[in-house]
Amino acid sequence: KTKADIRVGASVAQFDLRLLEPDNLLNIEKFSGERLSLYLRWPVNLMQHLKWHSGLQFQYHQGTRNNISSSTTQDETINWSEWVLDLGISIQIGRLSLRPFVNLRHINGDISNESGTSLFQLVHAKSSGFIADYYVEPTAFIRLRVTGLENRSLQISLVREY
């Protein structure tokens, strides 16, 4: 945390991901792997319990395929980098912070196997969602993040700020 209350940080996580082909919803590719994230966040106090949030994040993901409906038995790896810009407003009610948000994302990635490499990118760059933080201590909280629209996701995080 800087003097201007800009938060600089990093995180590591594991992920499970399912990729669907828009033209063939029966072809599901499931991947599991790791993620490294670097971020800048800037919460600005608007009123006593109201804050404006902005953030810029870079993420790198790396994983391997777990077959679900594919007849392919080859080893496949997935790698992608992602830039995310988040904007939102939060209200603090006791230990609970509630924040609707919008974000813009850009993804470059590839899936590689013995046959070669195929590239992919995000179809819909805009998304929105909701974050609920429950503070168990002044610098530690449990976060539930739900993203809607075409980029649906659910994340549960245990966070400690230093």
Side-chain angles (χ1 to χ4, degrees):
K1 199 176 200 190
T2 68
K3 275 186 177 181
D5 204 24
I6 296 174
R7 284 105 193 262
V8 179
S11 67
V12 292
Q14 293 186 327
F15 69 86
D16 288 315
L17 170 72
R18 287 190 170 99
L19 292 179
L20 303 173
E21 288 184 27
D23 298 337
N24 181 4
L25 296 179
L26 297 177
N27 187 17
I28 301 170
E29 296 179 273
K30 182 179 179 201
F31 294 88
S32 298
E34 297 78 35
R35 176 188 82 198
L36 170 65
S37 177
L38 306 171
Y39 62 84
L40 293 171
R41 294 188 187 133
W42 190 24
V44 177
N45 287 325
L46 300 175
M47 296 170 42
Q48 184 176 0
H49 299 287
L50 196 64
K51 286 184 181 180
W52 171 258
H53 293 266
S54 58
L56 179 64
Q57 186 172 181
F58 172 79
Q59 297 179 1
Y60 178 76
H61 302 77
Q62 177 178 301
T64 56
R65 181 175 180 163
N66 306 318
N67 290 324
I68 289 180
S69 64
S70 174
S71 58
T72 304
T73 58
Q74 314 178 37
D75 289 337
E76 287 189 318
T77 60
I78 186 169
N79 298 290
W80 79 93
S81 60
E82 178 175 1
W83 286 95
V84 182
L85 174 65
D86 279 321
L87 302 171
I89 194 160
S90 72
I91 186 166
Q92 184 85 30
I93 305 166
R95 292 180 169 216
L96 186 63
S97 173
L98 305 172
R99 180 185 348 159
F101 69 89
V102 295
N103 71 23
L104 297 172
R105 297 168 47 186
H106 176 74
I107 291 178
N108 279 324
D110 63 71
I111 298 173
S112 301
N113 60 30
E114 296 167 1
S115 302
T117 300
S118 60
L119 303 177
F120 68 90
Q121 61 186 9
L122 189 63
V123 175
H124 302 282
K126 290 189 294 185
S127 191
S128 64
F130 192 79
I131 295 173
D133 293 335
Y134 181 76
Y135 284 83
V136 293
E137 295 178 7
T139 60
F141 55 90
I142 300 166
R143 171 169 287 168
L144 175 66
R145 178 182 170 120
V146 179
T147 305
L149 298 175
E150 288 84 4
N151 300 319
R152 286 182 252 153
S153 70
L154 172 65
Q155 298 173 345
I156 299 172
S157 307
L158 305 174
V159 180
R160 162 92 54 200
E161 295 179 332
Y162 294 96

